[in-house]
Amino acid sequence: MASSRPIRFKISALLAIPIISLLALWGFAATVTVGDSMNLLTVSTLYDTVGKPGDDLSNALQHEHLLSAEYLASRTDSARAALAVQRNITNQARQRFRERTNTESARSAMTPDMRIRFNEVMNRLNALDGTRVKVDGGRIGLVGLSRDFSLVPDALNRLSGTMSLNNDLPLFQQSRSLGMISYAKDLMSRERALASGVLGMNRSMSASELQLFNQLATNRVFLLEQNLPDLEPRLRLPFAGMMTSTIYTRYTGLEETLQAGEIIPATEWRSAGDDLEAVYERALTAVTLSLADRAAPSAAATFTRAGVAGALGLVAVVASLLVSYRVGSGLTRELAGVRRAAMEVAEVRLPRVMEKLRRGDPVDVAIEAPPLEPLGSTAEVHDVAAAFDSVQLRAMQSAVEQAKLREGVAQSFRNLARRSQSLLQRQLKLLDGMQKKAEDPAALENLFLLDHLTTRMRRHAEGLVILSGGASGRKWRSSVLMEDVLRGAAAQVEDYARVRVYPMSGTTLVGGAVADMMHLFAEIIENATVFSPPGGEVSIRGELVGRGFAIEIEDRGLGMTPEKRIAINERLASPPEFDPSETDRLGFAVVGLLAARYGVNVTLRPSPYGGTGVVILLPENLLGDPEPVEPVVPLRAEHVPSISALPPVPSEPARFAEPVLPVPADLWKSSVRRGAGLPRRVRQANLSPGLRQDDQRQESGQASGATERSPEEARALLNSFQSGWRRGRAESEDGGAE
């Protein structure tokens, strides 16, 4: 029984579809009928604003054309006066045409094609004044006059051809035929003007004039013969009577005489033309009124149909809305349930699963992606819910599989990195032993460089461990001076000689964070040395601030654009999950992960030297107890120890690069020449006690024959040596200046 409900609903929905379609078609028919009514309104507007003013303008131009030809022939004052009166009538007709067609209703009723034809008419009207100037100056012939006065009627005829918007085909055909017969009357007026001009000069027609006259006569007869049969008998009757009248016969007889090259009296030609034009105009007016009477019932019927169809269409729309609401409301409720379930999966369940996977917690896909509850009674909605169940199950399974794959890859990277760390640690011990036995200065220097390269390789291996989610293998039990941590970090970069660590307070770093913070500092210092000039200094300063310990690392390079700096700061503030494809920013990725792990704030800013400055703020929970400051006892010049009495050479190369305690090359070489013996490098001998590795503390000591010193004694001795060296160098420079 439960399965039959969706089937019944589907059948009812299918039955509703034809009903809605039928109602929609009914509404469409009503819309079409309303459209026909609007077309009638448009046609009526166009004939009132364009058609009727255009006919009046065309008739005025025909009379002006005739009087202009007679004036060119006689040049008398009476002809000039008659022409002036007609020009005034034409100007009035032209002004009315412009005013009526410039209304909003007229322009909104025009189609794009009609606007093109209308602009053509206006351009022809603007050229009328130029033709009149030619007539007044006698600088135009009868053929040219006929051509100029034909421009406006021809353009009006083309405009009229685009104004037939009525859907009543018989009425359109009758209107079209009547338009062509009216155009034939314009051709007759051109005949009259041409012949009147020639006869007014009391001569026969020239070859060009006769050719134009024959062409006009032929086209007039052709238009009448072609369009009269298309008119209905009652509409054709006025024109049939005109063509069988003695007036028409008289006109055509005079026309044939002129075509034969003979000369007739001008008054006779004018009289015959006036009589025929009057009959022609009466026939046009009668037929036009008859068509208007015929169009009125059609318009009324159309509006009646529009009203009935509109009412039925309204009923159809209301019915379709009711049916659509009944069907759609049920679907909406059911789909809303599917939507809520989908939103819960997308916004609650799936993020919860991803968070568990990031923490490494186990995930049960069956529990996290239960199937949706049955929703509604529509089979289609049930199918959608089932498809969504499949999608969410596949999504959960894919997320778990991807997490397992990423964890496996990360574990492989960690294992490889741990092996590399072990091998590098053994290599460092081996290098320590080789350095103790080396006697040749060149060999000792090469071993020193190899030791430095190995230290850097160990840092890169630690970076791989950090990127794969692990922690550094090195640990310190006690707190270490912050200055020593920074010097140890500087010793792990390639261009360590350019790094200067300025003296700072005796702040210490807790032992558990020493290895990772040293790695973080080393990545930033190396980036500063790479992106700064080879001879430029990379300075490191640190001091206690209100919320911890602030360290500033500045280079003197070219800096970076504000957009790039902002992007890196955003990434450091909230580092995304590491993407193995981004291999060009591994250092920043390591820094971001370590900073997020310990709550360290790393910010890039412009350096006043033109490069980039990095401010690192260590929180208070990473700071250990401050180391007590021991007084430094200044030594006299005779107490400065010889090379052989110096403490062991530092194990980290950065101790050689420290600018506050340089070892001059000439002092080194002179000690070797005197047989003082090479200083033996004992790894980590000069590091602070906190930085020394537990497994190598017993190895620190001097070369053969040297007495064992405590770290405190060694530091005091180095401070005394530094003070004496500075004082001696200052005195030497003062003496040279004198």
Side-chain angles (χ1 to χ4, degrees), residues 61-76 79-80 82-84 86-87 131-132 134-136 138 140-147 149 188-203 205 209 212 266 269-270:
L61 287 172
Q62 292 172 9
H63 287 290
E64 183 177 346
H65 182 194
L66 176 61
L67 294 177
S68 298
E70 292 178 348
Y71 174 72
L72 288 175
S74 64
R75 309 291 291 185
T76 61
R80 174 65 180 174
L83 178 60
Q86 183 58 41
R87 284 181 177 178
T131 303
R132 290 173 174 176
K134 296 178 184 178
V135 172
D136 294 340
I140 188 171
L142 295 176
V143 175
L145 184 68
S146 178
R147 182 187 62 248
F149 271 96
M188 186 188 75
S189 69
R190 300 180 202 179
E191 283 185 75
R192 294 184 59 202
L194 178 60
S196 295
V198 172
L199 296 176
M201 299 177 188
N202 196 22
R203 64 176 176 84
M205 294 184 182
E209 293 168 346
L212 177 59
W269 173 253
R270 174 66 182 274

Side-chain angles (χ1 to χ4, degrees), residues 410-628:
Q411 186 65 36
S412 301
F413 285 162
R414 284 198 294 273
N415 291 338
L416 291 174
R418 295 296 187 194
R419 294 179 184 180
S420 299
Q421 281 183 304
S422 177
L423 294 175
L424 291 171
Q425 191 65 28
R426 292 169 58 186
Q427 183 173 331
L428 286 172
K429 291 181 180 180
L430 180 61
L431 289 172
D432 285 341
M434 296 174 64
Q435 290 171 2
K436 293 175 183 178
K437 299 177 183 179
E439 299 291 342
D440 184 17
L444 184 61
E445 181 179 1
N446 291 333
L447 290 173
F448 172 78
L449 294 176
L450 186 59
D451 184 283
H452 181 55
L453 291 174
T454 305
T455 303
R456 292 173 56 208
M457 293 171 62
R458 182 179 63 184
R459 177 169 64 87
H460 293 320
E462 288 180 356
L464 185 58
V465 173
I466 294 170
L467 291 175
S468 59
S472 176
R474 296 182 294 160
K475 298 292 181 183
W476 275 263
R477 294 189 180 91
S478 58
S479 300
V480 181
L481 274 174
M482 193 71 68
E483 184 175 351
D484 291 335
V485 175
L486 290 168
R487 293 184 186 279
Q492 299 182 25
V493 303
E494 180 178 5
D495 205 358
Y496 61 88
R498 293 166 44 205
V499 182
R500 181 174 182 180
V501 182
Y502 285 83
M504 56 190 69
S505 62
T507 306
T508 61
L509 184 68
V510 295
V514 169
D516 287 337
M517 289 300 100
M518 189 183 299
H519 194 118
L520 183 146
F521 299 150
E523 294 289 352
I524 297 176
I525 294 171
E526 183 170 55
N527 190 74
T529 59
V530 170
F531 293 98
S532 60
E537 176 185 294
V538 175
S539 58
I540 303 176
R541 295 177 175 84
E543 62 177 340
L544 280 170
V545 294
R547 293 191 299 169
F549 191 84
I551 300 169
E552 295 181 330
I553 302 175
E554 287 186 326
D555 62 59
R556 304 190 180 188
L558 297 177
M560 59 179 63
T561 61
E563 294 79 9
K564 187 175 183 180
R565 184 169 58 252
I566 292 173
I568 294 177
N569 282 333
E570 291 177 353
R571 184 173 180 179
L572 292 175
S574 55
E577 188 174 353
F578 174 64
D579 186 0
S581 63
E582 297 182 359
T583 58
D584 57 339
R585 293 292 180 182
L586 292 180
F588 279 118
V590 173
V591 171
L593 291 174
L594 292 177
R597 183 179 300 174
Y598 289 92
V600 177
N601 187 8
V602 182
T603 306
L604 275 65
R605 60 170 177 79
S607 170
Y609 302 107
T612 301
V614 182
V615 179
I616 308 166
L617 180 61
L618 303 178
E620 294 180 350
N621 62 329
L622 296 183
L623 303 182
D625 297 331
E627 183 172 302

Side-chain angles (χ1 to χ4, degrees), residues 65-339:
H65 182 194
L66 176 61
L67 294 177
S68 298
E70 292 178 348
Y71 174 72
L72 288 175
S74 64
R75 309 291 291 185
T76 61
D77 293 339
S78 60
R80 174 65 180 174
L83 178 60
V85 173
Q86 183 58 41
R87 284 181 177 178
N88 186 38
I89 296 174
T90 304
N91 289 338
Q92 293 176 2
R94 181 170 62 174
Q95 183 62 27
R96 285 195 300 271
F97 181 80
R98 287 174 174 171
E99 292 175 354
R100 299 296 298 274
T101 56
N102 197 32
T103 60
E104 183 65 28
S105 59
R107 293 193 174 274
S108 61
M110 292 184 185
T111 63
D113 190 26
M114 292 167 63
R115 291 192 185 96
I116 295 175
R117 298 301 183 187
F118 174 75
N119 292 333
E120 181 184 0
V121 172
M122 299 307 296
N123 292 333
R124 302 303 187 194
L125 279 177
N126 295 333
L128 178 61
D129 295 330
T131 303
R132 290 173 174 176
V133 173
K134 296 178 184 178
V135 172
D136 294 340
R139 293 182 288 105
I140 188 171
L142 295 176
V143 175
L145 184 68
S146 178
R147 182 187 62 248
D148 287 359
F149 271 96
S150 67
L151 296 178
V152 175
D154 288 347
L156 285 171
N157 184 62
R158 287 190 289 269
L159 174 62
S160 178
T162 62
M163 291 170 52
S164 299
L165 301 176
N166 193 355
N167 291 329
D168 190 341
L169 183 58
L171 184 61
F172 164 73
Q173 292 175 342
Q174 300 300 304
S175 299
R176 183 66 175 172
S177 298
L178 181 61
M180 292 294 100
I181 294 173
S182 177
Y183 186 62
K185 177 178 175 292
D186 183 75
L187 297 180
M188 186 188 75
S189 69
R190 300 180 202 179
E191 283 185 75
R192 294 184 59 202
L194 178 60
S196 295
V198 172
L199 296 176
M201 299 177 188
N202 196 22
R203 64 176 176 84
S204 60
M205 294 184 182
S206 65
S208 59
E209 293 168 346
L210 182 60
Q211 180 182 1
L212 177 59
F213 186 84
N214 291 334
Q215 180 181 355
L216 293 172
T218 302
N219 290 338
R220 174 182 59 79
V221 174
F222 174 79
L223 290 177
L224 288 173
E225 291 178 352
Q226 288 294 319
N227 290 279
L228 278 178
D230 293 335
L231 291 177
E232 295 177 356
R234 65 186 186 88
L235 298 178
R236 191 187 319 128
L237 185 60
F239 298 107
M242 178 193 71
M243 296 182 68
T244 57
S245 66
T246 57
I247 295 175
Y248 187 80
T249 303
R250 176 189 175 196
Y251 178 84
T252 55
L254 296 176
E255 184 181 55
E256 293 175 358
T257 302
L258 291 174
Q259 289 176 333
E262 299 180 8
I263 301 176
I264 61 177
T267 55
E268 185 177 357
W269 173 253
R270 174 66 182 274
S271 175
D274 290 342
D275 294 341
L276 180 59
E277 183 178 7
V279 175
Y280 211 146
E281 187 65 31
R282 285 195 299 269
L284 284 173
T285 302
V287 175
T288 301
L289 292 176
S290 179
L291 282 177
D293 294 339
R294 175 178 172 179
S298 175
T302 301
F303 279 104
T304 302
R305 290 196 306 270
V308 174
L312 295 176
L314 179 61
V315 174
V317 170
V318 172
S320 63
L321 288 176
L322 292 175
V323 175
S324 300
Y325 175 77
R326 185 180 182 87
V327 175
S329 60
L331 290 175
T332 301
R333 287 193 299 270
E334 297 176 11
L335 291 176
V338 177
R339 179 182 178 275

Side-chain angles (χ1 to χ4, degrees), residues 341 343-354 367-372 392 396:
M343 294 297 293
E344 181 183 1
V345 171
E347 297 181 357
V348 179
R349 294 182 182 178
L350 190 57
R352 183 175 59 203
V353 169
M354 299 303 295
I367 296 177
E368 296 294 342
L372 296 179
Q392 71 163 344
M396 295 289 184

